[in-house]
Amino acid sequence: DTAVSQTPKYLVTQMGNDKSIKCEQNLGHDTMYWYKQDSKKFLKIMFSYNNKELIINETVPNRFSPKSPDKAHLNLHINSLELGDSAVYFCASSRTPGTSGRFYNEQFFGPGTRLTVL
Amino acid sequence: AQSVTQLDSHVSVSEGTPVLLRCNYSSSYSPSLFWYVQHPNKGLQLLLKYTSAATLVKGINGFEAEFKKSETSFHLTKPSAHMSDAAEYFCVVSDRGNTPLVFGKGTRLSVIA
C-alpha cells in the first residue's frame, strides 16, 4: 500500500501552460508539504498545510498555489509555467509536529513528480 | 535559524569497506536530526532519526549516526558498504516541530565493486 502518492510521475509541458500535481496520503497525517528539488538535488520547502490550513509559505511565486480539499490531499497548481519551474516536486506528510511527545517532524515523502517545461 | 552542512558532495568507497558521510548542523534549540536516502529517480526514504533519546541512533540497512552536541555533528556510518547503498544522502535538521525541515545539499555515495 502506497503511503504518499503523487500523480503524475512525469509532466512535460510548454511554457505558459497551467498544470496541477496531485498528492494523497493514507497515513492519517494532518500535515502535508510540498518541496522543490532543483537540478543540483537541493531540496527546499515550498508550502506546509496543517488540517487544511496554510502554515508555511516560503518565498514562492504566487503562480504556485496549493489546494487542500481535505486532510489526505494537497494538490499543487502552477499557472503560467516558466522554464525555471522545471524540477522534481515532492509531496510529504507528517503528524502534527509536537503531537508525538517530542517536537520532531518525521516526514514521509512521495515518489516525486518530474516537471519539464519546454 | 537552523542550517546543515554536508561536508562532502561526493564520497566513493569500495564494496565491503566502511562508509562515513559527514554532517554538521546549526540550531538555536535542541534539534531533531534525520538522514534521508534518495536512490536514483526515486523518492526520499528515512534512514534514521535523532530525537534526544540515545545519541547513537541505529537505522535501516545497517546505517548508524551519532549525535555529538559538542561538535554539532551527526555523521552517518556503515561498517561495510554494499553496492545497493549507492545513492544520494541528505542530512536534515528541524529546530522544533513547527518549523520546516532544512535539508543539506546532499552527498552522493558511489560504491565500487
Side-chain angles (χ1 to χ4, degrees):
Chain A
D1 288 340
T2 303
V4 183
S5 60
Q6 296 178 228
T7 53
K9 188 168 183 180
Y10 299 97
L11 183 54
V12 181
T13 187
Q14 300 285 334
M15 279 176 56
N17 284 351
D18 303 336
K19 291 293 179 185
S20 294
I21 307 171
K22 296 186 177 181
C23 177
E24 177 180 3
Q25 54 94 4
N26 62 6
L27 297 167
H29 292 161
D30 48 17
T31 302
M32 296 184 71
Y33 313 81
W34 277 107
Y35 289 84
K36 180 180 180 181
Q37 185 176 44
D38 63 23
S39 58
K40 296 183 179 178
K41 301 280 189 181
F42 184 57
L43 269 148
K44 189 163 189 230
I45 184 85
M46 298 174 70
F47 300 103
S48 171
Y49 261 75
N50 177 254
N51 283 318
K52 296 174 56 181
E53 286 190 34
L54 181 67
I55 56 173
I56 292 172
N57 181 2
E58 295 293 311
T59 306
V60 174
N62 57 14
R63 299 181 294 104
F64 290 79
S65 55
K67 287 189 170 51
S68 181
D70 54 57
K71 287 197 311 182
H73 296 85
L74 181 63
N75 303 324
L76 184 65
H77 300 276
I78 316 171
N79 295 325
S80 303
L81 277 155
E82 300 177 357
L83 292 175
D85 298 333
S86 295
V88 181
Y89 292 85
F90 287 98
C91 177
S93 72
S94 73
R95 295 198 293 189
T96 300
T99 57
S100 56
R102 159 73 182 155
F103 285 99
Y104 73 88
N105 191 357
E106 178 180 348
Q107 296 182 12
F108 295 80
F109 284 79
T113 296
R114 183 175 294 275
L115 171 64
T116 302
V117 182
L118 304 174
Chain B
Q2 68 270 39
S3 66
V4 63
T5 302
Q6 291 183 244
L7 296 158
D8 306 293
S9 60
H10 183 211
V11 170
S12 184
V13 300
S14 298
E15 191 175 20
T17 63
V19 175
L20 170 64
L21 304 183
R22 298 182 295 165
C23 172
N24 286 101
Y25 70 90
S26 170
S27 173
S28 303
Y29 302 92
S30 295
S32 295
L33 292 155
F34 309 84
W35 276 97
Y36 281 85
V37 61
Q38 184 179 24
H39 287 93
N41 299 313
K42 299 285 186 185
L44 290 106
Q45 181 183 20
L46 181 68
L47 272 181
L48 49 81
K49 59 180 183 272
Y50 165 76
T51 58
S52 84
T55 56
L56 182 61
V57 181
K58 293 185 185 299
I60 61 172
N61 301 333
F63 284 94
E64 291 183 349
E66 186 170 8
F67 173 71
K68 292 187 176 180
K69 187 175 181 179
S70 60
E71 298 176 10
T72 61
S73 69
F74 190 57
H75 301 333
L76 182 71
T77 60
K78 182 173 180 177
S80 175
H82 191 272
M83 296 297 290
S84 61
D85 294 328
E88 192 87 19
Y89 291 79
F90 294 94
C91 183
V92 184
V93 66
S94 178
D95 258 347
R96 291 187 292 188
N98 59 353
T99 58
L101 294 183
V102 174
F103 282 74
K105 294 191 174 181
T107 298
R108 182 163 59 93
L109 176 65
S110 299
V111 182
I112 305 164

